[in-house]
Amino acid sequence: MPDRADDVRREGVAPGAGPRRPPERWLFSGTYGLVLASAMISALDATGETADPASDALWVLLAALASCAAHGYAHVIARRASADGSAGTSRLRSVLAEWPLVAVVLPTVGMLLAALADWWAEETAVDVALLFNTVALFAVGTSAARIAGRRWPPACRAGAMDMLIGLMIIAANALTH
């Protein structure tokens, strides 16, 4: 039996009136932001340096904002270079549409700020953030596959493949420290 939500239509419900799906851009930006946050905290967590969670949190946030702006503006440039040659009137909207990239780094920033408040050591904040982001990569990958109509086993395999990115960052962090 198919495991796709759109294969079963409820009586009296118009086609396409099912649950709302997150846009592809959200899934892309969310995944990109999680990988960015993990890579940034791993790189900023240098052995032998004095812990500075405030500076690290600021750098993670600034990197996300810069990436958001760059990616949104890249869409504007791509539209400008497309066949119609126009970038449209919504340049700012293209940049602002990348907000998921910034939103997904906020838990990482929050964990670093918790270290600033002495709730835990910065090293612990980094470890927890890397683990959180890796689990979130699994969740985003799995949900994207489910939205695409995959059954649970293949969707979980897709999520596991996304999670491998986080695991590689964790491994690189462990090897460099």
Side-chain angles (χ1 to χ4, degrees):
M1 172 184 251
D3 192 25
R4 295 183 63 168
D6 56 1
D7 286 346
V8 180
R9 250 194 219 143
R10 295 175 299 189
E11 220 172 280
V13 176
R20 294 190 61 195
R21 296 178 177 184
E24 181 181 329
R25 184 175 277 186
W26 188 94
L27 295 168
F28 174 82
S29 295
T31 301
Y32 187 83
L34 289 166
V35 172
L36 176 72
S38 294
M40 285 294 299
I41 60 168
S42 183
L44 291 170
D45 182 36
T47 304
E49 288 185 8
T50 304
D52 189 359
S55 176
D56 292 352
L58 181 62
W59 274 110
V60 170
L61 189 58
L62 288 175
L65 289 169
S67 296
C68 175
H71 193 257
Y73 191 66
H75 283 293
V76 171
I77 293 170
R79 271 187 245 126
R80 189 179 297 150
S82 70
D84 66 4
S86 69
T89 59
S90 60
R91 291 180 181 115
L92 181 60
R93 199 174 313 150
S94 289
V95 173
L96 294 177
E98 299 299 325
W99 69 267
L101 193 152
V102 177
V104 298
V105 304
L106 294 179
T108 299
V109 170
M111 290 175 209
L112 289 169
L113 292 177
L116 179 65
D118 289 328
W119 291 354
W120 53 24
E122 184 180 17
E123 184 178 320
T124 304
V126 169
D127 292 344
V128 171
L130 287 171
L131 181 62
F132 175 87
N133 291 344
T134 301
V135 171
L137 281 167
F138 174 80
V140 169
T142 301
S143 65
R146 290 291 295 159
I147 288 167
R150 304 270 196 261
R151 292 176 180 228
W152 277 107
C156 288
R157 282 193 300 272
M161 293 305 293
D162 287 2
M163 188 174 76
L164 279 177
I165 299 168
L167 292 174
M168 287 189 298
I169 293 171
I170 290 171
N173 186 48
L175 290 172
T176 60
H177 295 98

